[in-house]
Amino acid sequence: MLPCLSKKLFGIDCFGCGIQRSLALLLQGEFEAAFYMYPAIYTMILFFLFIGISLIDKSRSYHKLIVFLGVITAFIMVFSYFYKLLYY
């Protein structure tokens, strides 16, 4: 796993801390553990999946869905970050 530069330099987690471990857990089939490691993992995967689909399928507009998933993912990232700071 790559070390977090923010945690190494400043001693605090960044908004992306846990993504690598969550993806590793997801690939091992540990879906619940992946969610607890990084709650935004599933919406982030959908976000990037629809960005990829929109690059391939030019006949449909995925803009609203991509923006919606981006906002939801960002909200979950920020909420879980501050929850982790306050309670862990």
Side-chain angles (χ1 to χ4, degrees):
M1 299 281 168
L2 297 172
C4 177
L5 188 61
S6 172
K7 191 166 190 167
K8 197 169 194 164
L9 291 177
F10 305 116
I12 57 170
D13 289 346
C14 67
F15 286 102
C17 279
I19 289 177
Q20 291 180 71
R21 291 174 294 196
S22 180
L23 280 174
L25 288 168
L26 199 62
L27 292 174
Q28 294 171 0
E30 308 242 356
F31 301 110
E32 187 177 351
F35 175 78
Y36 285 122
M37 181 62 63
Y38 193 75
I41 189 70
Y42 295 114
T43 56
M44 187 177 292
I45 289 172
L46 285 174
F47 175 71
F48 286 117
L49 178 72
F50 278 104
I51 287 176
I53 289 171
S54 73
L55 293 174
I56 295 169
D57 184 13
K58 300 288 185 183
S59 64
R60 296 183 185 157
S61 176
Y62 295 96
H63 179 73
K64 288 182 182 179
L65 182 60
I66 290 171
V67 169
F68 174 74
L69 286 171
V71 168
I72 293 296
T73 301
F75 176 77
I76 294 171
M77 286 171 67
V78 170
F79 180 79
S80 63
Y81 175 77
F82 285 111
Y83 181 84
K84 186 168 49 169
L85 279 180
L86 293 174
Y87 296 106
Y88 289 104

